[in-house]
Amino acid sequence: MIIQPRIRGFICLTAHPEGCAAHVQEQIDLVKSRGPLEGGPKSVLVVGASTGYGLASRIAAAYGSGAATLGVFFEKPPTEKKTASPGYYNSAAFEKAATADGLFARSLNGDAFSEELKQQAIQLIKEGPGQVDLVVYSLASPRRTDPTNGETYKSVLKPVGQAFSAKNLNTDKKEVEDVTLPPAEGDDVAQTVKVMGGEDWELWMDALAEAGVLAEGAKSVAYSYIGPEVTWPIYKDGTIGQAKEDVERAARAISQKHGAQALVSVNKALVTQASSAIPVVPLYISLLYKVMKAKGTHEGCIEQMDRLLRSQLYAAAGPSLDEAGRIRIDDWEMDAEVQAEVAALWPRVTTEQIDEMSDFAGYQAEFLKLFGFGLPGIDYTAETDPLVEVPSLA
Ligand code: NAD
């Protein structure tokens, strides 16, 4: 079939297998160009390994220090008539490349929140590298079924306490508009904490430790976001921020229980499938990219994750943590000059000036790239077979 983007709101219904493979290869090449990561991880479990920060973590570990990787994700396989979701094609491409380069790579496609998938992962670790010395927890999901009671919880993106009115970029219509987001009600906060909080990360670490597949001195990392004040009502102080506080609680609990060094890394705001669904954030990202690209400090997921491993998690001197014990790989984003420039643009940006004042073109290009579109060297007018297998799932 001829595969073209079909965008509906903040999702794209199609994905291009060769484009996704080219996107994965770009990330592999970036890590290779930075040379070997001495003393890096040797065997890594990545939960949420198929897109965004999790995929980048997998690539940074595999190609930085030759790590064996087990990737867990929840993606739609292709059919003859429908393309797969991009994470499926990314994982197929990653496994193919890693195996060709002599690296151990296995994947599991299913619900990471379930007990069954955890046991399958443990089995694969036992059959493969035996133990893992790094566990990356990079899930972003709108719902979770709790394996202990079978109840399904839903995460929402809402302010807490009062409604929040702010500027928003309608990425479909390319319009700057005002939105008012109603506050969380009922058990919205508790539900969001159930889905995006740290409980499932803890369950993973408990299961791995109990099965004896967690290496002595293993590390684990989960991702969070803080960002500037304009986004706080919807992010840091909103329902998702409460869940992220729970992730920090889980980090402390895991470190205490399992003697693993469990840390939260606060990452940069970047275009991913998860972040494009958050109101206000796409406008902020478009302004941020403009400012950071002009300063030469812009990074994508792979640069962020490569820097996280090299300069923090596996730095000879160990990670440098903020006052709350977190890694701040969002340091370049939160740089005072960068934030002052974004803050100055924020009140002035309008629909008419969106192209001059922001990097909306960059935002859109990166959004399309998430689905394998706009990559150089790919003929998007050519017949393409959507039926691609992830080798270890075949
Ligand atoms: P993403 O949407 O690109 O990736 C989500 C991953 O989770 C995918 O691999 C998907 O397959 C997997 N997944 C979702 N539900 C699953 C399930 N039930 N079982 C198994 N796998 C499942 O998201 P992302 O933006 O890379 O987010 C990853 C983490 O990074 C999140 O914790 C997010 O809050 C955090 N973060 C993101 C940003 C950002 O700007 N994108 C910034 C800072 C922190």
Side-chain angles (χ1 to χ4, degrees), residues 48 50-51 53 74-75 110-112 138-140 224 244 268-270 272:
S50 53
T51 55
Y53 275 120
F74 205 8
E75 299 290 344
D111 183 7
S138 186
L139 280 193
S224 185
K244 293 298 184 187
K268 180 188 179 190
L270 283 174
T272 65

Side-chain angles (χ1 to χ4, degrees), residues 47-55 72-75 87 108-113 117 137-144 196 222-226 235 240 244 265-276 278 281 285 301 370:
V47 184
S50 53
T51 55
Y53 275 120
L55 172 65
V72 174
F73 46 78
F74 205 8
E75 299 290 344
L108 280 173
N109 188 21
D111 183 7
F113 295 126
L117 206 94
Y137 190 84
S138 186
L139 280 193
S141 173
R143 68 188 67 80
R144 167 178 174 224
M196 287 298 287
Y223 302 137
S224 185
Y225 183 66
I226 294 177
Y235 203 98
I240 182 74
K244 293 298 184 187
S265 171
V266 181
N267 299 346
K268 180 188 179 190
L270 283 174
V271 184
T272 65
Q273 287 179 81
S275 71
S276 50
I278 308 175
V281 167
I285 288 182
C301 287
L370 299 177

Side-chain angles (χ1 to χ4, degrees), residues 176-257:
V176 178
E177 58 189 22
D178 288 315
V179 285
T180 297
L181 305 160
E185 49 185 21
D187 63 352
D188 278 350
V189 170
Q191 295 247 352
T192 306
V193 171
K194 266 284 188 186
V195 181
M196 287 298 287
E199 190 175 81
D200 182 61
W201 182 23
E202 257 187 287
L203 290 175
W204 268 100
M205 298 304 286
D206 292 350
L208 295 167
E210 198 178 307
V213 296
L214 209 51
E216 180 94 23
K219 295 176 197 281
S220 187
V221 66
Y223 302 137
S224 185
Y225 183 66
I226 294 177
E229 279 186 42
V230 283
T231 65
W232 283 4
I234 187 64
Y235 203 98
K236 178 179 157 294
D237 297 337
T239 48
I240 182 74
Q242 305 250 341
K244 293 298 184 187
E245 266 180 36
D246 188 63
V247 173
E248 291 183 30
R249 174 205 57 75
R252 292 186 290 272
I254 293 165
S255 299
Q256 270 178 5
K257 268 193 280 187

Side-chain angles (χ1 to χ4, degrees), residues 282-310:
L283 179 58
Y284 169 67
I285 288 182
S286 302
L287 296 173
L288 180 73
Y289 278 22
K290 174 91 172 176
V291 172
M292 291 187 81
K293 283 181 184 174
K295 288 197 182 308
T297 56
H298 175 70
E299 295 175 299
C301 287
I302 194 62
E303 288 88 351
Q304 277 269 295
M305 294 300 93
D306 184 73
R307 192 156 69 88
L308 173 67
L309 296 190
R310 288 175 201 267

